[in-house]
Amino acid sequence: MTNDTRSVISLRVNDATHRLCLDNRRTLLDALREDTGHTGPKKGCDHGQCGACTVLLDGRRVLSCLTLAVTAEGAEVTTVEGLAGDGELRPIQQAFVRLDGFQCGYCTSGQLCSAVGMLAEHAAGWPSAVTADLCPDGPAPALDAAEVRERMSGNLCRCGAYPSIVRAILEEAR
Amino acid sequence: MNAESSVPTAAGAVGVARPRVEGRAKVTGGARYSADEPVPGLAFGAVVVSTITRGRVLDIDVAAVQDMPGVLGVIDHRNAPRLNPEAGHFFGPDGGLRLLQDDVIPHAGRPIALVVGETPEQAYAAAQALPVVYDVRPHDTEFFFGHPAGRPASALFDGPVDVGDVDAELAASAVVVDERYGTPEEHCSAMEPHSATAWWEGERLQAVDSNQGPYQIAVTLATLFCLPPERVRIRVEHVGGGFGSKGMCGPQLILAVMAATRFGRPVRVTLTRDQVFLATAQRPATDQVIRIGADADGRLRAIDHVAAFELSPLAEYIEGCTELTKTLYAAPAIRTRLTAVPLDILPPYSMRAPGAAPGSFALESAMDELAERLEMDPLELRLRNEPVVGPVSGLPFSSRNLVACLRQGARRFGWADRDHRPRMRREGSLLVGTGLAATSFSTGAFPSTASITAEPDGTFTVVVAATDLGTGARTALTAIAADALEVGVEKIGLRISDSDLGPAWSAGGSRGTASWAWAITEAAAKMRGPERPATVTADTAHLLGELPSRERHAYSAVFAEVTVDPATSEVRVRRLLGLFAVGRVINPLMARSQVIGGMVGGLSMALHEEGVRDPVSGRHVNPDFAGYHIAAHADVPDIEAEFVPDHEPGLPMGVKGAGEIGNVGTAAAIANAVWHATGVRQRQLPIRLDRVLED
């Protein structure tokens, strides 16, 4: 195999650096799962349609199945494995467990990373399709259930845990 | 334990809301699903599926891809190992399992080759490049009730019944509803695509596979590959949802075993999302005609329910749409008949609430139409036709708490204030309507074994080949074992998810928990006997035969409120409430999640889900989540679910299943609410914009 089809990159995942020689076609999702041992992010569709692969790239939520790994060099990747620091679950993880915000758990890592990214987007004043007041100088939209549902709609859950997920996210937002 | 005795249980773990035992693993990414298992020396298989619907493979040009980087080889019908044609499942031999055995293509999406490579990218690149030449033959994928190929469905269950004189009773009825209802092909769409990793350890075949019952799958796989069962071991730690689609020995597993055998190393085969749509079981389309006759006071005189569903000539299957009709309401005359229409499609199989979900959509829509024509409260119509014994079987009900579900639900929902005339409520520009449905789903148990070992440290190791698809089986069985052994849950070490743990029923048919719990309580009873053995094993096969014949069902009443925008035809579900009688509730937190999840599935069935086939090519045109929409966050309101006191006297701990009942009534409740909002009946699912569109 020639160097045309592979690249050596440094990937920062959950505060650790991985030096990898990757097929240029390798997605960030596959690199995490197959090369750095992070199987928390899941492959639900490989087409950016389900959200199970959601991770944080420099704090922003991205679909890792639609991100080529070589483009993530230099960025800080956070997966579900990196959400809990020092073994202590984050409040939103605790809320998911306590309120039963999942059943099979396959979409959960995506839901959690997406929720963390979404809360940051909201805190930064980003509107959504259901935000009534889009005036840039207006107050930040209140994060009610309708806002959470709209902003989280890229993360499918076939078990139908949506009501508990929304409750857990609203608890975290408070 | 004698059949029909109730098990005395100390105030213990059962009935207590507890988070899942694997909760922490699931929120930290530590829970391992089948594609997550690290296996040294792993190769990857990419599946090639047929792009034509019927015909033959004339050529697969393996040489064209053999030298592509990383390609280990290609398996097709010319070099695949021979499989045992007797292998099958619940319904008998299944031609759907006999992959790569000949050049015949029986349906679109049929796996025709597996390309194996060192990396996923290399395998998929070669699979995409693999030239296939077909001989295309005409196909028939067009399903409808009177299809000339139609024949009576297998009567393994939901066979035809004819009690009373249906025609005379209909003729004597003051009001008769005679309508036709349809449901489309629907896909289980578990979030985890089917994945299997197989390898040989000496003479023993090992596999990690996403499925709903490792023991049953191991037996099927052993039969298929003509291996003694003890030479096959299948494990499945966490499963990313099944909903029926992982109940069978899947193509991923069959192909992974072929590849591991051929290439002498571990091979992982994971279906792509479109392959999950194309090559794993779907709910067949149904076409149903219901005639209900009633007196002016709402008492039913007759129900005539004839239903057709599609299947494949490759495998028998029953979509038991008419089962509900035999037990839900009292009527002196009831007649049902099921027709199977063989078409050139993938063999359908059980999807969540098989039979009952499409059947109840038809029956409960028809009941609502009857209430409309009688100018009667649909709730009252149902209460007025409550049977004392099984209307067809004549058997007593083991326990029947539908009335409690209806009454409590009505109170909580505010049903009493409803104006039953349609199109009477408006809020701004929106039309508002409410609807309800009553439902049941049969309950029972299948044979299982379990063993318990008393460990020296005072703990107990409880072993049963159960699976947890997200149902909460791990947590529920831990509680059941703790109570059965009269110890705290911290004393229980539960081992599941492994075919080596002995014969056990799969997670399916709403019978997983009941079947496994029975084996565990039997073993626990032996453990607590006078001899106090260190290890006990129990097999419930003989006990099931002693269970007296009864009508055994879980019940629910579902209430829905929708808004319809007359300008856009958009239907939004604003409120959804379900009242459930599911026997004793093992863990209210998880049980609520399960039935709410079922209602979300029912909402999705009502409004979104439709597998669409192109009649010209016979192929699915929407095999992905962009084209086949399943309910997303924004579609789902804050759903309420409550349990009424209930107890199943024939089963240990008094449990009934909760897996399917949540799904059953929701579609009809929503369709009835859409009628109430708009005055337009919705007899074909899903309730698409064009079907709601105002003139």
Side-chain angles (χ1 to χ4, degrees):
Chain A
M1 183 156 282
T2 71
N3 287 338
D4 295 342
T5 63
R6 299 182 79 84
S7 300
V8 175
I9 65 162
S10 290
L11 202 58
R12 288 274 299 164
V13 185
N14 301 334
D15 295 328
T17 303
H18 301 262
R19 193 86 180 143
L20 304 169
C21 177
L22 296 179
D23 190 320
N24 290 339
R25 296 169 295 188
R26 181 143 286 196
T27 62
L28 177 58
L29 175 61
D30 285 333
L32 291 168
R33 292 179 50 80
E34 307 295 339
D35 299 309
T36 68
H38 296 88
T39 52
K42 296 290 187 265
K43 188 181 284 190
C45 71
D46 220 14
H47 280 63
Q49 295 169 347
C50 79
C53 66
T54 307
V55 299
L56 299 169
L57 200 63
D58 290 332
R60 286 195 181 173
R61 48 180 176 164
V62 298
L63 297 165
S64 62
C65 77
L66 295 186
T67 306
L68 288 172
V70 291
T71 69
E73 184 166 34
E76 193 69 47
V77 180
T78 307
T79 69
V80 68
E81 290 96 333
L83 289 183
D86 301 334
E88 184 74 14
L89 295 184
R90 275 201 196 196
I92 193 166
Q93 291 171 302
Q94 292 173 21
F96 264 63
V97 174
R98 185 164 32 80
L99 300 173
D100 212 28
F102 51 83
Q103 291 179 45
C104 81
Y106 198 78
C107 74
T108 308
S109 61
Q111 301 277 359
L112 282 165
C113 288
S114 189
V116 170
M118 181 274 285
L119 291 170
E121 290 162 16
H122 173 260
W126 294 21
S128 83
V130 297
T131 305
D133 183 2
L134 297 177
C135 176
D137 302 326
L143 199 67
D144 58 11
E147 282 280 359
V148 170
R149 288 182 193 128
E150 175 63 30
R151 291 166 187 258
M152 290 295 295
S153 277
N155 291 86
L156 299 176
C157 167
R158 186 52 155 173
C159 297
Y162 297 128
S164 304
I165 294 171
V166 171
R167 226 168 286 147
I169 293 173
L170 286 172
E171 197 172 277
E172 167 83 359
R174 262 181 233 118
Chain B
M1 187 194 73
N2 294 324
E4 290 295 348
S5 71
S6 64
V7 183
T9 46
V14 170
V16 178
R18 265 199 187 79
R20 286 162 209 270
V21 295
E22 74 280 14
R24 188 188 170 90
K26 284 183 174 173
V27 298
T28 55
R32 281 220 168 107
Y33 299 78
S34 93
D36 301 343
E37 206 69 40
V39 178
L42 191 59
F44 295 83
V47 184
V48 178
V49 300
S50 153
T51 57
I52 69 161
T53 297
R54 190 167 158 268
R56 285 179 185 280
V57 175
L58 291 181
D59 186 46
I60 296 177
D61 186 4
V62 173
V65 303
Q66 187 66 60
D67 295 331
M68 284 178 70
V71 171
L72 295 172
V74 178
I75 303 178
D76 62 26
H77 62 282
R78 294 166 299 194
N79 60 357
R82 295 302 97 190
L83 299 174
N84 181 352
E86 285 167 18
H89 49 85
F90 187 76
F91 295 96
D94 182 354
L97 302 176
R98 291 198 298 276
L99 300 178
L100 315 188
Q101 298 301 290
D102 53 36
D103 58 358
V104 177
I105 292 174
H107 62 81
R110 173 82 161 183
I112 53 170
L114 184 77
V115 180
V116 182
E118 294 286 350
T119 72
E121 288 87 354
Q122 290 167 339
Y124 283 108
Q128 298 254 302
L130 186 68
V132 180
V133 182
Y134 299 101
D135 169 23
V136 184
R137 301 280 168 82
H139 63 264
D140 183 2
T141 56
E142 213 162 329
F143 168 71
F144 57 95
F145 195 101
H147 194 289
R151 46 116 175 138
S154 157
L156 193 60
F157 59 82
D158 199 16
V161 300
D162 192 357
V163 297
D165 188 335
V166 166
D167 297 320
E169 295 286 349
L170 285 172
S173 295
V175 175
V176 175
V177 167
D178 181 351
E179 296 293 351
R180 184 170 172 180
Y181 304 88
T183 62
E185 287 179 358
E186 292 158 355
H187 295 269
C188 297
S189 307
M191 296 312 298
E192 178 200 24
H194 301 50
S195 179
T197 307
W199 68 96
W200 287 89
E201 275 180 22
E203 291 288 289
R204 241 187 146 205
L205 178 61
Q206 303 276 343
V208 176
D209 175 53
S210 32
N211 66 60
Q212 296 180 211
Y215 179 80
Q216 309 278 352
I217 302 290
V219 170
T220 304
L221 193 70
T223 309
L224 195 59
F225 283 88
C226 302
L227 293 166
E230 63 275 11
R231 283 182 55 201
V232 176
R233 181 189 190 189
I234 295 182
R235 286 174 297 137
V236 49
E237 191 55 37
H238 292 282
V239 184
F243 315 110
S245 74
K246 292 170 184 166
M248 299 189 307
C249 184
Q252 76 286 353
L253 180 58
I254 297 167
L255 297 173
V257 171
M258 286 181 174
T261 306
R262 180 163 188 85
F263 298 105
R265 59 189 276 192
V267 177
R268 175 165 295 163
V269 176
T270 305
L271 301 185
T272 59
R273 177 51 62 180
D274 64 320
Q275 289 170 353
V276 173
F277 275 93
L278 298 169
T280 73
Q282 68 205 358
R283 194 201 302 283
T286 73
D287 193 350
Q288 310 175 51
V289 174
I290 293 202
R291 291 190 296 162
I292 306 184
D295 290 331
D297 67 355
R299 277 186 214 286
L300 301 189
R301 296 190 76 115
I303 313 176
D304 187 21
H305 188 173
V306 292
F309 63 91
E310 54 179 2
L311 48 49
S312 155
L314 293 177
E316 194 55 79
Y317 174 69
I318 303 166
E319 186 72 17
C321 305
T322 61
E323 197 78 65
L324 230 72
T325 305
K326 300 166 189 169
T327 67
L328 203 53
Y329 299 115
I334 295 177
R335 184 165 63 199
T336 70
R337 196 172 68 246
L338 265 182
T339 297
V341 178
L343 296 170
D344 301 316
I345 60 169
L346 172 83
Y349 196 64
S350 304
M351 174 170 161
R352 198 169 192 180
S360 106
F361 166 67
L363 179 64
E364 286 301 284
S365 295
M367 284 294 280
D368 206 65
E369 299 208 42
L370 183 64
E372 175 196 353
R373 289 176 211 186
L374 290 163
E375 296 182 4
M376 193 175 189
D377 177 355
L379 175 72
E380 183 55 34
L381 175 64
R382 285 161 174 93
L383 294 173
R384 206 163 282 188
N385 290 288
E386 178 72 4
V388 180
V389 296
V392 169
S393 67
L395 293 170
F397 290 95
S398 65
S399 67
R400 182 178 166 106
N401 281 307
L402 175 58
V403 169
C405 291
L406 284 164
R407 288 200 195 280
Q408 283 188 36
R411 222 170 12 248
R412 196 163 160 163
F413 193 75
W415 187 262
D417 302 331
R418 183 184 193 250
D419 182 336
H420 302 304
R421 295 169 299 169
R423 223 184 158 91
M424 298 301 289
R425 262 178 87 188
R426 264 182 191 273
E427 286 178 22
S429 63
L430 299 177
L431 302 168
V432 183
T434 54
L436 69 79
T439 66
S440 68
F441 195 86
S442 74
T443 195
F446 284 106
S448 288
T449 61
S451 66
I452 301 177
T453 300
E455 306 291 352
D457 63 358
T459 63
F460 295 89
T461 301
V462 178
V463 170
V464 58
T467 37
D468 191 335
L469 318 175
T471 56
R474 258 185 213 87
T475 313
L477 296 179
T478 300
I480 286 165
D483 280 13
L485 290 163
E486 296 185 342
V487 297
V489 289
E490 73 285 353
K491 299 282 189 195
I492 303 297
L494 182 74
R495 286 186 60 209
I496 62 170
S497 314
D498 185 339
S499 66
D500 271 4
L501 303 182
W505 179 243
S506 307
S510 284
R511 281 156 168 77
T513 303
S515 304
W516 304 322
W518 199 341
I520 289 173
T521 53
E522 279 303 311
K526 286 188 189 176
M527 177 62 77
R528 290 167 53 220
E531 291 142 40
R532 303 252 153 201
T535 295
V536 295
T537 298
D539 185 342
T540 60
H542 65 289
L543 294 168
L544 287 160
E546 294 172 18
L547 199 61
S549 286
R550 292 282 184 276
E551 292 271 0
R552 299 182 196 276
H553 309 276
Y555 292 91
S556 83
V558 182
F559 298 78
E561 180 174 279
V562 305
T563 62
V564 179
D565 186 333
T568 64
S569 304
E570 185 185 21
V571 177
R572 304 278 300 170
V573 176
R574 200 159 66 170
R575 284 202 294 153
L576 202 52
L577 165 69
L579 269 286
F580 295 90
V582 293
R584 185 140 177 239
V585 174
I586 304 293
N587 181 326
L589 178 69
M590 297 187 318
R592 183 167 287 119
S593 293
Q594 198 173 18
V595 296
I596 285 176
M599 291 162 79
V600 171
L603 180 157
S604 196
M605 174 187 181
L607 299 182
H608 309 308
E609 295 183 37
E610 181 174 27
V612 180
R613 259 175 218 280
D614 169 23
V616 176
S617 71
R619 290 201 301 259
H620 285 289
V621 298
N622 58 343
D624 63 30
F625 287 136
Y628 185 92
H629 181 62
I630 60 172
H633 271 289
D635 299 308
V636 177
D638 191 22
I639 297 172
E640 293 178 283
E642 285 299 327
F643 299 99
V644 303
D646 192 36
H647 181 82
E648 166 52 56
L651 298 174
M653 304 278 170
V655 301
K656 297 176 180 175
E660 338 252 6
I661 187 70
N663 200 278
V664 184
T666 307
I670 291 171
N672 294 339
V674 171
W675 166 79
H676 190 232
T678 62
V680 179
R681 281 290 166 192
Q682 298 295 329
R683 300 189 185 98
Q684 176 68 46
L685 293 182
I687 304 169
R688 293 191 319 227
L689 299 183
D690 58 307
R691 292 176 174 145
V692 182
L693 198 62
E694 306 266 314
D695 293 330

